[in-house]
């Protein structure tokens, strides 16, 4: 069959060649893998390709070349991964951890159903090309882009990831907008993450993303796979979690640096862990001291549903550890919490509570804007900011705690046994119905600078 553009130099309509007789939610129909791939391969011959899709296509997966746009008319159109496919639904044509071979790829619109019920957890083993490190994951990823520059994914959704919905490594200039991850087939302890980014990577923009996950909804993990790569220059703006196990993980094992990252406007619900900002693996599990540059998170209003991992670890909104230059947490709200998990947990325990004594060495940490309203929520005492590691300069300002009529023995800042704070600047605090603003629980604070700090209508620390 000869494939020709219907419009212009390289615009092909799927309906001219493919039986679009599948269903993006139910599957079925005609397996069009070979013919679909033949169309996509025209991008190399023609120098580019635009594929217009106005139905649902059943496929065992597709490899996408440079200068390719796949446009689906709406989310009733798209692709369904055939049972037993054992490979990603979509990937770039030349997978590589070492070199960027593919660029200018756009996936616009549509539903990409990853068909978790019909897939095994592992994909067919991939043999690396000469000179590649044998680091390709054996897990079945929903979409996989390794070695890509200029990737855009907009107005689309991924459904039912078997493990990670998306894995990205060795990338530059990624834009993800108006994106959904719908996990309907949730399984226990199967690593059904959302989008997972490995380094090297630079310039990532994610806006207006929603969905759920059976582990991390999103992960920035520069050196998780190779112990050396960086990720820099990241903007994430507008994240709606739909009862995700864990929200956003920022993982740096050691040499690989995570730097110049801004995350803002995160809302919705989660189970156990809001934000992991630490090396994760911990003491005795390799070079895991972390390498964090400048990170800012602001406008966070998440509500916990329940603690799914109670037998393994403590719950938290933020857990922070590793070597870090600058971290700012701004405008954090906790409204009627249903348990007493800490909001900011600076800890040498990265994950499982049996892994103690890991590195915490933070130069600057600022908590600017913390609002807690608890008039009907939990009555258990809580440490809002828990320090169990080394922090050179900690600033806590613009805090409002309202436990009127529902008091408990809460502490605003608790410095625990391994806590070492060189200087604490605390200002503009109004706390009602709690026990203390600063509680030394075996730790030390060398210098305290306080201004306008009120506890139960009395000025303290001033």
């Amino acid at each position: 069959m000869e494939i020709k553009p219907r419009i212009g130099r390289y615009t092909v309509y799927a309906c001219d060649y493919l039986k679009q007789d599948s269903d993006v939610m139910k599957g079925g129909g005609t397996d069009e893998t070979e013919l679909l791939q033949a169309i996509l391969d025209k991008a190399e011959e023609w120098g580019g390709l635009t594929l217009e899709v106005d139905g649902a296509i059943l496929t065992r997966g597709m490899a996408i070349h440079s200068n390719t746009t796949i446009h689906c008319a709406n989310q009733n159109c798209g692709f369904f991964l055939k049972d037993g496919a054992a490979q990603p639904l979509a990937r770039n044509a030349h997978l590589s951890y070492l070199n960027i071979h593919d660029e200018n790829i756009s996936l616009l619109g549509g539903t990409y159903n990853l068909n978790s019920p019909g897939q095994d957890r592992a994909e067919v083993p991939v043999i690396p090309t000469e000179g590649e490190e044998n680091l390709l994951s054996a897990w079945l990823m929903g979409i996989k882009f390794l070695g890509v520059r200029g990737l855009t994914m907009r107005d689309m959704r991924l459904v039912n990831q078997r493990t990670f919905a998306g894995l990205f490594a060795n990338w530059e200039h990624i834009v993800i907008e108006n994106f959904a991850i719908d996990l309907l087939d949730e399984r226990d302890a199967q690593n059904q993450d959302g989008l997972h980014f490995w380094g090297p990577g630079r310039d990532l923009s994610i806006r207006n993303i929603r969905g759920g996950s059976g582990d991390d909804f999103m992960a920035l993990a520069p050196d998780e796979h190779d112990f050396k790569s960086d990720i820099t220059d990241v903007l994430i703006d507008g994240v709606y979690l739909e009862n995700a196990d864990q929200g956003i993980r920022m993982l740096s094992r050691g040499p690989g640096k995570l730097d110049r990252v801004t995350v803002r406007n995160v809302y919705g619900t989660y189970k156990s862990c809001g934000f992991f900002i630490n090396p994760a693996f911990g003491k005795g599990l390799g070079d895991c001291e972390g390498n964090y540059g400048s990170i800012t998170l602001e406008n966070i209003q998440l509500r916990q549903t329940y603690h799914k991992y109670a037998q393994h670890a403590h719950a938290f909104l933020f857990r922070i550890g590793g070597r870090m230059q600058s971290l700012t947490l701004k405008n954090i709200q906790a409204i009627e919490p249903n348990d007493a998990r800490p909001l900011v947990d600076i800890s040498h325990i990265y994950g499982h509570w049996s892994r103690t004594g890991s590195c915490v060495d933070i130069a600057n940490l600022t908590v600017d804007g913390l609002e807690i309203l608890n008039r009907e929520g939990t009555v258990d005492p809580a440490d809002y900011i828990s320090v169990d590691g080394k922090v050179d300069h900690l600033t806590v300002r613009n805090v409002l705690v309202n436990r009127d009529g529902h008091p408990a023995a809460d502490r605003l800042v608790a410095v625990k046994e391994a806590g070492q704070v060189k200087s604490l600047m605390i200002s503009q605090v109004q706390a009602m119905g709690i026990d203390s603003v600063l509680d030394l629980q075996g730790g030390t604070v060398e210098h305290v600078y306080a201004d306008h700090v009120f506890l139960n209508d009395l000025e303290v620390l001033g």
Side-chain angles (χ1 to χ4, degrees):
M1 178 185 296
E2 185 178 5
I3 299 169
K4 296 181 178 180
R6 189 204 287 192
I7 298 175
R9 295 176 55 193
Y10 44 68
T11 299
V12 174
Y13 280 72
C15 60
D16 291 344
Y17 301 96
L18 303 174
K19 296 182 179 68
Q20 302 179 98
D21 57 359
S22 188
D23 184 290
V24 292
M25 297 307 296
K26 300 177 182 178
T30 306
D31 182 350
E32 293 282 35
T33 304
E34 282 73 22
L35 186 51
L36 172 61
Q37 191 60 54
I39 294 172
L40 293 173
D41 289 345
K42 288 295 181 180
E44 285 198 306
E45 178 184 338
W46 298 342
L49 172 73
T50 297
L51 177 62
E52 295 285 348
V53 178
D54 61 357
I57 300 170
L58 181 69
T59 179
R60 299 189 308 278
M62 52 185 169
I64 304 170
H65 299 276
S66 294
N67 305 314
T68 295
T69 295
I70 299 176
H71 176 244
C72 298
N74 55 58
Q75 290 192 352
N76 195 42
C77 308
F79 304 90
F80 192 95
L81 187 63
K82 187 178 180 180
D83 288 357
Q87 62 180 328
L89 175 52
R91 66 174 179 86
N92 60 305
H94 306 93
L95 298 174
S96 174
Y97 283 101
L98 302 181
N99 300 290
I100 292 180
H101 300 288
D102 301 311
E103 54 189 339
N104 188 25
I105 294 173
S106 296
L107 307 181
L108 308 178
T111 294
Y112 289 62
N113 196 313
L114 310 173
N115 185 19
S116 171
Q119 308 300 326
D120 293 327
R121 194 163 184 249
E123 66 176 83
V124 174
V126 177
I127 300 174
T129 59
E130 184 177 358
E132 293 275 344
E133 297 178 60
N134 189 11
L135 297 171
L136 292 167
S137 173
W139 288 352
L140 176 63
M141 307 300 179
I143 61 175
K144 181 186 285 187
F145 289 90
L146 311 180
V148 66
R149 178 185 296 113
L151 172 66
T152 298
M153 300 191 298
R154 183 180 291 125
D155 302 327
M156 60 180 286
R157 65 171 176 164
L158 304 179
V159 176
N160 278 345
Q161 61 267 31
R162 185 62 183 87
T163 60
F164 295 2
L167 175 65
F168 308 81
N170 188 22
W171 48 268
E172 296 179 359
H173 315 312
I174 293 180
V175 174
I176 299 172
E177 293 182 342
N178 305 332
F179 199 89
I181 301 173
D182 289 325
L183 180 58
L184 309 176
D185 178 49
E186 184 173 353
R187 308 178 182 206
D188 186 58
Q190 292 291 295
N191 295 99
Q192 291 174 290
D193 294 48
L195 304 183
H196 205 102
F197 297 87
W198 287 342
R202 65 184 181 94
D203 185 23
L204 169 65
S205 175
I206 300 177
R207 297 179 185 270
N208 301 329
I209 182 171
R210 69 158 182 88
S213 61
D215 200 64
D216 304 323
F217 181 71
M218 198 180 306
L220 304 174
D223 60 350
E224 180 180 11
H225 72 301
D226 68 359
F227 296 88
K228 63 182 182 181
S229 290
D230 300 338
I231 289 178
T232 63
D233 306 294
V234 176
L235 172 63
I236 301 171
D237 187 355
V239 179
Y240 176 51
L241 298 181
E242 297 176 305
N243 206 27
D245 281 13
Q246 300 171 184
I248 298 176
R249 181 187 293 274
M250 300 183 189
L251 183 159
S252 167
R253 297 186 72 157
K257 191 170 188 178
L258 183 63
D259 196 12
R260 300 190 298 275
V261 176
T262 297
V263 179
R264 61 189 181 218
N265 302 322
V266 182
Y267 58 110
T269 56
Y270 74 106
K271 298 185 184 84
S272 292
C273 313
F275 298 83
F276 260 115
I277 311 175
N278 66 21
F281 296 96
K283 187 176 182 180
L285 297 177
D287 185 5
C288 298
E289 293 194 342
N291 187 4
Y292 295 91
S294 174
I295 298 173
T296 298
L297 299 100
E298 60 181 311
N299 298 342
I300 311 297
Q301 221 286 40
L302 286 173
R303 296 197 181 195
Q304 63 262 32
T305 53
Y306 71 100
H307 185 16
K308 179 177 178 179
Y309 300 115
Q311 60 183 332
H312 302 294
H314 297 297
F316 51 85
L317 179 58
F318 293 93
R319 177 163 288 173
I320 301 161
R323 296 190 182 277
M324 191 172 299
Q325 293 175 325
S326 174
L327 176 63
T328 298
L329 309 178
K330 189 172 183 179
N331 297 339
I332 313 299
Q333 289 185 319
I335 308 298
E336 302 297 354
N338 63 15
D339 63 31
R341 67 186 62 187
L343 302 180
V344 180
D345 186 23
I346 303 157
S347 177
H348 58 90
I349 303 174
Y350 288 168
H352 195 288
W353 47 53
S354 67
R355 297 173 183 165
T356 61
S358 296
C359 174
V360 180
D361 190 350
I362 300 169
N364 292 345
L365 173 59
T366 299
V367 180
D368 184 1
L370 178 63
E371 181 183 352
I372 299 160
L373 175 63
N374 187 350
R375 289 179 168 181
E376 299 175 355
T378 180
V379 297
D380 297 328
D383 295 330
Y384 302 145
I385 301 172
S386 174
V387 182
D388 204 16
K390 179 176 177 290
V391 182
D392 289 341
H393 303 290
L394 173 61
T395 298
V396 179
R397 61 180 177 238
N398 298 322
V399 176
L400 174 60
V401 180
N402 182 345
R403 293 206 63 153
D404 289 345
H406 194 64
D410 294 355
R411 283 78 52 177
L412 174 58
V413 179
V415 184
K416 300 183 180 295
E417 185 176 356
Q420 304 172 51
V421 179
K422 184 175 181 180
S423 71
L424 170 63
M425 173 68 75
I426 186 165
S427 64
Q428 306 300 317
V429 174
Q430 182 183 177
M432 309 300 294
I434 71 173
D435 263 14
S436 62
V437 171
L438 174 61
D439 186 19
L440 299 180
Q441 300 176 5
T444 60
V445 179
E446 290 186 30
H447 305 285
V448 177
Y449 308 99
D451 178 50
H452 290 85
V453 178
F454 292 86
L455 172 64
N456 300 321
D457 293 325
L458 296 175
E459 187 168 12
V460 296
L461 298 178

